[in-house]
Amino acid sequence: MFVMNMPDNISKLSDGFLRSDFAKDTLTGLLNREAFNIKASERINSGEKGLAIVWINISNFKKYNNRFGFNSGNILLCELSEILTEVFKSKNGDIVSRFSGDNFVVITTWDDLDENITFTEKYLYSLHPGITLRLRAGVYFPSANENILEACDKAKMACDSIRTNYSLNACMYREEMGKEMEMEHYILDVLDDALNSGNIKVLYQPIVRILNNNICEVEALVRWKNDVLGFISPGDFIPTLEKYSEIHKIDTYTVKQVCEDLKNLAEKNLPLLPVSINLSRLDFELCDIFSVIENTLSEYNIPRNMLKIEITESVHGEDMSVLNLGIEKFRAYGYEVWMDDFGSGYSSLNMLKDTNFDTIKFDMKFLSGFDENSDKARYILSSNLSMAKQMGMQSLCEGVETPEQLEYLRTIGFEKAQGYFFGRPMTLDNIFELELPIENIQDSPYYEKLGKFEILDDEILDHAGTIVADMRAAAIFEITNDQIKLLTKNKTYSDWLKNLTEDSKRELINYFLKRMKRMKLNHDPDSSSSSSSGNRFYIFSNGNLFQTRIAHAAENSRTGSEAWVLYQKALTYFPLNHDANDRARIYEAYMKIFAMKSGDNFLRLD
Ligand code: C2E
Ligand code: CA
Ligand code: CA
């Protein structure tokens, strides 16, 4: 170890060493770690002001090596060493060195440091167009006489701290980093023990189908109980495990634990309940996560549709090919893959465009501020939901905490909801003690179909935000043994129904039943297509005329229930509340104007 204030005789010894070949890095010809330490110490001890130690690392060097071969990797290291030498040579006393692998360390001064780092990056990237390279730099300003080893450690800490923060390429050392680093090292040290000792547990949070208020899935979330630190939240240890490429250990463990829990359910004869698990993007690189899951499922004899895979949006600029291939493989084998935390980062839309998912899971931030600043939050939620439905995807909103939030999700047609309103993460046994029933897994395909229908009101607003016209009322009915049940409706349809008398409602239901029966009997080939006229009819109610279409939506093979979807638009907008005589006159007028006959395609309500 070379410490500050080296006695003269060591200094003389080091002179010889520095001139020898042992001082050079054989690959790049730069100074090696030992030689750098001697020379940088001298410079720090000289009392020179404004010094900086810069630790530079190529973020994805391992991947580069794997992809292009060891030789290309070596060439890349030599290129970087030449660029660094070129950039820093103009300054007197600057030293560039390679410590190991892809770790380069420079001692320089504060001035132009930013520009020099940026220039180095750009130069290196320009030599490899089309390849995602990422250079990271950590900077530390040593004080006079500071130990060179500690100074380098601090520069490295700064560099490591942005390993998974892709928006930063350079970072300065801060005091807290020492503590964070200690915590990270502790987590890494005790991880294996924790996995073996059962201190890492999996809890489950209910996911509720809004249409039937049933629990249709649960999400598996890990918990770590530690003897020293108490409870460590996944928000703290997951990023650390990702940073140090250990995350696949937890995820492999979770898959096994989930299968174990599902097996126990089956043994207790409890209803089947699919589980969604969180995978890290890194799982696809660090291990063969597909085989891990396949093997574990078959070991426990659990079918693929019992496990849903949540993947959070990727970071902008990252190489997506490995992840996309991995996702496609899971889907090709019949697994559902869900996009987690949609909307939480800046690449959500791009990822949605380039990657195929079965479900979009809306980030809980969509609901934060919902109650105060509701208008904007509502528009963002509803229009993104529309987008999801147009892409044929299932929808789930997380972070539901209040009945108002749930009610809004219901009226705009969200398929599923998750959040503290229904329950916090809990043991699987506790899930079965909740008041909400578990969905019969045989019914799921039926409800999934219904969840994809758009029921959003198309409101036309003036600039002040007042509703000028409701464009579309929508509802989904379910018919079981000639009994009709309204499964869901949007606000426009709710409002319309409110203005009907009880008699009118009964008349409406009878008319619907008759019509649906006839459409089924005729085997109307177009009955599910909205372009056919067979499914279109007119309703006169409250002095206004409405055009209504119904279409067969889905059939539940277990219960025999059928679902029909209804869309209705107003053709006239007369104010309500005129008297019976007025209504009769208006009715006669419509019949003339629209040249209609009361009959099959026309229902006159009061
Ligand atoms: P996530 O996947 O977005 O999980 C949802 C997080 O939000 C959970 O935190 C959950 O407890 C919390 N949450 C659920 N409902 C509500 C609500 O209504 N309000 C609020 N404020 N929070 C709610 P948790 O369990 O601390 O997990 C944090 C993150 O850790 C997860 O976010 C996920 O990204 C990650 N994670 C958890 N388990 C695993 C795992 O096994 N593997 C991997 N790779 N990541 C995991
Ligand atoms: Ca999740
Ligand atoms: Ca999430």
Side-chain angles (χ1 to χ4, degrees), residues 60-74:
N60 27 21
F61 184 64
K62 217 169 169 182
K63 248 199 256 172
Y64 186 92
N65 254 342
N66 288 343
R67 189 164 162 203
F68 300 106
F70 206 64
N71 220 10
S72 304
N74 280 347

Side-chain angles (χ1 to χ4, degrees), residues 219 278 310 340 361:
E219 176 177 7
N278 292 284
E310 295 193 15
D340 199 1
K361 196 166 179 182

Side-chain angles (χ1 to χ4, degrees), residues 137-153:
V139 177
Y140 177 64
F141 302 132
S143 43
N145 292 337
E146 187 162 351
N147 183 319
I148 182 65
L149 297 182
E150 281 170 14
C152 288
D153 266 358

Side-chain angles (χ1 to χ4, degrees), residues 205 219-223 234-235 238 247 250-251 254 278-280 310 340-341 364 398-401 419-421 425:
Q205 189 180 29
E219 176 177 7
L221 294 159
V222 281
R223 295 288 177 265
I238 298 278
I247 185 71
I250 282 264
D251 289 339
T254 307
N278 292 284
L279 290 190
S280 162
E310 295 193 15
D340 199 1
D341 302 331
M364 55 188 84
E398 57 184 330
V400 177
E401 292 179 355
Y420 294 167
F421 179 69

Side-chain angles (χ1 to χ4, degrees), residues 328-340:
E328 279 314 319
K329 185 159 182 189
F330 272 111
R331 297 187 72 238
Y333 277 78
Y335 292 91
E336 270 185 24
V337 182
W338 299 1
M339 178 179 190
D340 199 1

Side-chain angles (χ1 to χ4, degrees), residues 1 10 158 172 260 298 387 403 456 468 471 552:
M1 191 189 286
I10 294 189
M172 241 162 48
E260 186 84 41
S298 77
M387 177 187 72
L456 191 66
V468 176
M471 294 299 287
H552 186 262

